[in-house]
Amino acid sequence: MVSLRAAALLLATCALGCAGTGRATDALGRVRDLEPGQQGYAIIAAKVFAMDDEDHVYAPGMVLVRGSKIDYVGPPVDVPAGYQKREYPQGVVSPGMVDLHTHVHSGGFGDVNDMVMPVNPEFRASAALRPSNELIKRACASGVTTLYGIPGSGTSMSGFGIVYKTKTRAKFEDCVVRNPGGMKIAQAYNPERRAGDLGATRAGLAWMLEDINHKALGAMREGRSDPALANLIKVHQKKLPVLIHCAGSDSFPAAARMWKTEFDTDCVLSHGCFDAHLTAAYEVGLGVPINAGPRMLDFNSTRDGAITGIAHAYEKAGAKNLSLNTDSSVVPQEELFLQGSMAAKLGANAYQMLRGVTINPAKVFGLAKRLGSLEPGKDADVVVRNGEPLDPRARVETVLIDGNIEYDWQRDGQWF
Amino acid sequence: METRMSKRKRSPLCIVCGITLGVLAASAAQAAPVQTVQGKNTVVAVPRAPRAGEKGAPGLALLAKKALAVPFEGEQVVDNAVLLVKDGKIEALGPARTTPIPTGYEVQDLGDKWLMPGMIDLHTHIGGTFDINDTVYLANPGLRVSTSVIPKNAALKQDLASGVTTVLFIPGSGVNMGGQGILIKTGHERFEEALVRAPGSLKIAQAGNPERWAIGVGRSFMNWNLRAMLTRGMAYARRWLEYEQGKGQRPERFFDLDVFPELAAKRTQVSTHTQMFQVVLKTITMLRQEFGLDCYIDHGEMAGYRAAELARDAGVQAILGPRAVEVPTQQFINWTGSNPEALLGIAAEYQKRGVKMIGFNTDAPVIPAEELQLQAGMAGHYGMDFSNLEGVRGLTIIPAITAGIGKRIGSLEVGKDADVLVISGDPADPRKWVEKVLTDGKWVYDSTKERRLW
């Protein structure tokens, strides 16, 4: 008996060792029968990554999906009454992935970049959302379950994005998580206008952004109702976050100064490609979260011909809650996991990169109460693969969103 | 010229190559390793003493956790391995307890790292300048990309850092017969050292690009055009081969047909840009069965897998990429002739139909050369079975044999060129990365000493 226990402990230690930072093995949630008429799945697999704050990893593990929520995550136990059992002896379970920088909501037909005026706080991307379009379906089949769909970077303030799920047969109401989901800003590298008006330079762009922000703050102070500024006011009330497109060592610190130091918003610096990583210590010092991608490597800025892993550079600078993006379809939406794989190849910690495509983006965008990890009470967005989540050789077996099987390799064939 | 020709039994092309290389070799003088020394105003090359493992130096012993030996047949993996390198060649490979290290050898303990043969990419366009697509005539068997080679250029350097030690550098696919490719190593700076074989192949593009030539041609014309050129070329080859065997008059010499005696004598192959079913079908029935050429599917993609059983039976190898999948299409006209209900992995489909000789290519720069490893990994993602190291073999021994250089490179076997990678694990897992590269016994990339390039 003693030796059996020792063996079990050894196995558990080994499983955690593979995870990198795992500690505990105790179960989360409870095991109870389903209510009559309620739908539920018991998913049993070789390994379960919970991606919670205690880095639970269960090998083997079980997830109980009760209705649309998660009820239990832990070692396999006797399946309570009513649950449909789904066993994956070689399978690895992780939370559905979350991408904060995406443009596939219109289905690849553009419609994301109104560039008439330089700042557009009135606009909302929700008008362009085509639920369950082909790009969204393929994203689902790759294990991506939640997207922040945003306008393009053709103007400095291009409007408000929408947070939605990648369900494969959904109506608008069924897939929206938060609308508006947040604001989109393009600080530099694209919004520079060539229209002969203000905004040809960074100075002009910055002035326009400050101007519109002060207008919103004024309206807020005076209690004036202005439909054009209503959502921007929510940003200044910290009811909505801001995702900022910026890439170079010039615009990255400038964006952090404006949106954190000057206006104190819930901002996330997105892209961070090119040579922005050289300024990582500054943004990390200000406590601004970074959402890296689509480029995962930098060849040029160091000018010595060597390659720098961008995620690794932010990790080394101590970035907290680092997340990764595809800027889809710049990098195909279904390759979000590959962003993590390549970040790991170029030096970053593989387990932290899995956090970077699941719980970390949910946290920095105020979505972690519902999404990003497998914890009791959270949305049942669950991905089963036939191998490790960031191993490109592995493919997706099953994807559940809100407790429903949205994609199944056996049932639907391979979509990605 | 005539007597030398008949004595040495050399085809006319060999003479041309011999003369060209002779001139180049004379200018390079001697083969001793060279290092560059930067003076105040000048950069001079001075000979340096050869290092362990190189030609004329003491041997090199590498100790590693695992060695993926991947010979075509036999033991594929050696645990706790010792690899001995002497005079640029592999001298021994075996488990540490049964492989003694001779005295005087430089020993390097690589700890947890693995060893494997250098990777081989049989479809690339990055060997030098990009002017490799002469599209004046629809068939150009005489053109040679060897004239465009820039050894160890920036793209090749990065390719090397990703573990690719040998590439087939070929002309583009703007016409049906783009000319002659060249097999070169990525790690050497001098043409003579880098050269593995010229001609590395005759590049034929059967479809899917040459259509854009001048007034536009279709499949019927292209097949006729290829058949006409091949008929002429092989008749020329037959006359020369007969003459070399002492039969008949010395034939008239046509420089543009010089590659055909090489093909007829099986000294080079046809690398075929081919992809759809009806095109792969012609690769097999026309190039292999009708003309008896050593040809292989290169750039294999789209629905070509539907001819895979024929390829298997005819012994035609399949080097696949850059596209890894065949997908359902909603287009008005379905160009590829195939519209699967779900996504299909091309390598998996070839494998399912019994093709054993499956390798991968990038068509670099279509897919960056350094992502060859990812091509293998994604083949696994899309359903290829890797249980017998198919992912590793498709990067090494399979392309080596396909290109007719399997006796020289492609596996860690005694007597082969010491083209060896030090890698962090299974190369079919694209997260693993190459730490150091040995080519012909010489360290040509070392991320522990220089900056990491991939």
Side-chain angles (χ1 to χ4, degrees):
Chain A
M1 195 63 204
V2 175
S3 65
L4 259 180
R5 257 187 215 165
L9 195 69
L10 194 69
L11 273 174
T13 318
C14 176
L16 293 172
C18 302
T21 51
R23 287 190 296 273
T25 54
D26 47 311
L28 306 169
R30 53 188 172 149
V31 180
R32 50 180 172 157
D33 295 347
L34 280 183
E35 305 290 332
Q38 202 174 16
Q39 178 182 272
Y41 294 102
I43 298 162
I44 300 161
K47 198 191 250 189
V48 174
F49 285 99
M51 307 313 291
D52 62 332
D53 281 345
E54 267 130 28
D55 297 314
H56 282 88
V57 180
Y58 306 98
M62 181 170 93
V63 178
L64 288 181
V65 173
R66 185 186 177 87
S68 65
K69 301 289 177 187
I70 288 163
D71 212 31
Y72 169 87
V73 184
V77 293
D78 289 339
V79 175
Y83 282 92
Q84 198 181 318
K85 202 163 158 184
R86 293 185 71 94
E87 288 180 277
Y88 302 89
Q90 314 293 327
V92 180
V93 179
S94 53
M97 291 186 281
V98 180
D99 192 341
L100 294 183
H101 199 131
T102 79
H103 304 288
V104 295
H105 52 281
S106 72
F109 291 92
D111 219 7
V112 293
N113 233 344
D114 267 295
M115 298 190 290
V116 182
M117 294 172 289
V119 284
N120 307 279
E122 316 86 345
F123 292 174
R124 281 174 298 172
S126 55
L129 175 64
R130 291 206 306 154
S132 306
N133 68 48
E134 288 302 311
L135 300 178
I136 290 173
K137 280 161 81 171
R138 201 173 308 141
C140 176
S142 77
V144 177
T145 55
T146 303
L147 298 175
Y148 175 42
I150 49 176
S153 49
T155 62
S156 286
M157 183 181 281
S158 49
F160 286 77
I162 180 168
V163 179
Y164 65 98
K165 295 204 183 181
T166 61
K167 291 179 182 177
T168 53
R169 291 173 296 270
K171 296 198 297 288
F172 185 90
E173 294 74 16
D174 301 332
C175 63
V176 173
V177 175
R178 196 169 69 203
N179 181 29
M183 186 167 71
K184 163 77 186 290
I185 293 295
Q187 197 85 11
Y189 292 114
N190 274 350
E192 290 83 352
R193 283 168 74 83
R194 302 286 179 265
D197 58 354
L198 194 61
T201 69
R202 301 285 150 73
L205 293 175
W207 185 87
M208 283 188 289
L209 285 174
E210 288 182 338
D211 180 57
I212 193 80
N213 276 322
H214 283 296
K215 278 182 180 143
L217 284 169
M220 196 170 115
R221 234 180 357 254
E222 294 159 17
R224 257 189 295 120
S225 162
D226 184 344
L229 296 173
N231 284 328
L232 183 53
I233 287 170
K234 284 185 196 157
V235 169
H236 287 286
Q237 291 167 335
K238 292 200 172 193
K239 287 179 185 161
L240 286 176
V242 194
L243 190 87
I244 306 162
H245 160 118
C246 48
S249 58
D250 48 358
S251 55
F252 223 50
R257 265 198 304 281
M258 179 184 290
W259 296 97
K260 191 74 190 173
T261 313
E262 187 182 347
F263 292 116
D264 190 28
T265 59
D266 284 338
C267 55
V268 177
L269 295 178
S270 192
H271 290 322
C273 319
F274 303 159
D275 63 346
H277 61 87
L278 297 174
T279 67
Y282 179 77
E283 292 87 25
V284 170
L286 288 178
V288 188
I290 289 157
N291 175 247
R295 213 172 296 230
M296 297 312 296
L297 51 93
D298 172 33
F299 268 126
N300 301 323
S301 60
T302 45
R303 305 277 176 206
D304 62 356
I307 194 165
T308 303
I310 284 174
H312 185 40
Y314 289 121
E315 195 179 40
K316 273 196 295 190
K320 288 207 170 57
N321 294 325
L322 175 68
S323 57
L324 308 180
N325 71 58
T326 57
D327 193 6
S328 62
S329 296
V330 174
V331 163
Q333 187 60 67
E334 58 272 20
E335 290 187 3
L336 179 60
F337 80 97
L338 193 59
Q339 298 288 79
S341 318
M342 296 314 272
K345 179 180 186 127
L346 295 171
N349 177 293
Y351 179 77
Q352 292 304 324
M353 292 306 104
L354 183 56
R355 289 188 71 90
V357 292
T358 54
I359 185 66
N360 288 356
K363 275 190 175 179
V364 300
F365 233 54
L367 300 164
K369 276 193 181 147
R370 276 182 68 179
L371 308 169
S373 63
L374 301 177
E375 291 180 83
K378 282 200 178 185
D379 291 3
D381 300 347
V382 185
V383 179
V384 190
R385 287 184 182 77
N386 67 352
E388 293 287 324
L390 296 188
D391 184 345
R393 292 170 299 180
R395 63 164 168 75
V396 167
E397 294 274 4
T398 304
V399 179
L400 282 87
I401 300 181
D402 291 339
N404 286 316
I405 295 176
E406 294 290 331
Y407 170 76
D408 185 72
W409 185 78
Q410 293 281 356
R411 182 187 75 189
D412 303 320
Q414 192 153 351
W415 288 359
F416 169 64
Chain B
M1 178 72 86
E2 200 169 319
T3 36
R4 210 181 73 175
M5 173 78 200
S6 44
K7 262 185 194 165
R8 293 196 186 176
K9 299 229 158 98
R10 293 176 91 191
S11 72
L13 183 77
C14 284
I15 295 172
V16 178
C17 282
I19 293 163
T20 321
L21 296 185
V23 172
L24 286 165
S27 65
Q30 35 85 31
V34 167
Q35 62 188 354
T36 52
V37 176
Q38 199 150 8
K40 239 181 183 174
N41 302 312
T42 50
V43 178
V44 285
V46 297
R48 63 162 174 79
R51 302 197 176 99
E54 294 175 27
K55 206 166 183 180
L60 174 69
L62 300 176
L63 279 55
K65 187 182 172 191
K66 202 184 272 281
L68 300 168
V70 294
F72 187 62
E73 277 166 344
E75 211 58 56
Q76 296 291 300
V77 180
V78 180
D79 287 314
N80 293 318
V82 169
L83 178 80
L84 300 182
V85 175
K86 185 84 175 78
D87 289 329
K89 303 283 179 192
I90 293 169
E91 190 182 36
L93 171 70
R97 58 194 157 71
T98 57
T99 314
I101 299 169
T103 46
Y105 275 48
E106 183 188 312
V107 180
Q108 286 198 27
D109 189 344
L110 300 164
D112 276 351
K113 296 288 187 296
W114 295 19
L115 296 174
M116 67 171 285
M119 296 184 235
I120 300 158
D121 191 342
L122 291 188
H123 199 120
T124 75
H125 305 290
I126 54 158
T129 52
F130 205 60
D131 57 338
I132 49 173
N133 224 347
D134 269 290
T135 50
V136 181
Y137 304 110
L138 199 48
N140 309 283
L143 302 185
R144 293 167 297 168
V145 294
S146 56
T147 55
S148 301
V149 171
I150 303 173
K152 216 172 178 180
N153 65 53
L156 289 179
K157 243 170 122 172
Q158 191 159 355
D159 205 9
L160 174 69
S162 77
V164 177
T165 51
T166 302
V167 295
L168 176 64
F169 174 38
I170 46 177
S173 50
V175 292
N176 288 143
M177 204 176 271
Q180 300 163 27
I182 184 169
L183 282 158
I184 49 172
K185 293 200 183 184
T186 56
H188 291 304
E189 290 182 26
R190 290 193 308 139
F191 182 90
E192 299 71 27
E193 279 183 292
L195 178 69
V196 176
R197 198 187 69 209
S201 75
L202 173 67
K203 162 81 181 280
I204 285 181
Q206 285 180 275
N209 273 346
E211 288 89 337
R212 293 174 216 166
W213 179 73
I215 52 170
V217 291
R219 197 131 17 251
S220 306
F221 185 88
M222 291 190 295
N223 281 335
W224 174 86
N225 175 60
L226 274 174
R227 179 174 280 110
M229 180 53 86
L230 289 168
T231 306
R232 258 184 79 204
M234 293 313 278
Y236 176 78
R238 212 163 30 246
R239 285 199 296 278
W240 272 101
L241 292 184
E242 280 170 11
Y243 171 66
E244 282 180 13
Q245 287 157 10
K247 295 178 214 160
Q249 287 287 304
R250 183 179 187 273
E252 195 182 345
R253 176 81 185 282
F254 296 106
F255 279 91
D256 61 330
L257 298 177
D258 276 348
V259 71
F260 289 101
E262 296 296 298
L263 281 166
K266 310 281 184 197
R267 287 191 288 257
T268 191
Q269 300 79 26
V270 176
S271 59
T272 321
H273 168 113
T274 180
Q275 65 270 83
M276 303 166 225
F277 167 75
Q278 62 273 41
V279 181
V280 173
L281 183 72
K282 279 288 157 195
T283 308
I284 299 160
T285 57
M286 179 162 73
L287 302 184
R288 168 60 58 91
Q289 291 171 339
E290 191 180 329
F291 287 99
L293 296 168
D294 266 359
C295 64
Y296 53 91
I297 297 165
D298 206 8
H299 193 281
E301 48 173 41
M302 296 185 184
Y305 63 82
R306 293 171 75 184
E309 277 110 341
L310 289 168
R312 175 199 64 201
D313 295 344
V316 174
Q317 303 91 341
I319 307 298
L320 307 176
R323 208 176 303 224
V325 290
E326 175 72 351
V327 293
T329 170
Q330 295 172 346
Q331 284 168 358
F332 179 60
I333 298 173
N334 179 8
W335 293 105
T336 70
S338 163
N339 196 1
E341 285 179 17
L343 177 149
L344 296 176
I346 288 166
E349 294 303 312
Y350 271 94
Q351 191 183 38
K352 262 187 224 159
R353 287 165 176 77
V355 178
K356 297 253 186 277
M357 300 295 281
I358 298 176
F360 310 101
N361 71 62
T362 59
D363 195 5
V366 172
I367 281 185
E370 57 273 19
E371 292 187 2
L372 182 63
Q373 208 187 329
L374 188 60
Q375 293 287 87
M378 292 311 279
H381 178 97
Y382 295 123
M384 190 180 183
D385 178 19
F386 282 171
S387 51
N388 293 309
L389 290 178
E390 286 86 346
V392 188
R393 290 167 61 87
L395 294 166
T396 51
I397 186 69
I398 303 292
I401 290 172
T402 300
I405 45 176
K407 289 210 171 111
R408 194 176 148 187
I409 58 173
S411 61
L412 302 180
E413 287 179 276
V414 174
K416 282 195 171 180
D417 291 0
D419 296 354
V420 185
L421 311 182
V422 178
I423 186 168
S424 64
D426 184 350
D429 178 351
R431 293 171 299 176
K432 305 300 178 197
W433 60 283
V434 172
E435 191 185 273
K436 296 202 253 191
V437 183
L438 206 60
T439 296
D440 293 318
K442 177 178 165 188
W443 290 112
V444 286
Y445 170 69
D446 185 347
S447 71
T448 63
K449 291 191 179 145
E450 37 184 320
R451 295 293 302 271
R452 184 173 162 184
L453 287 176
W454 182 240

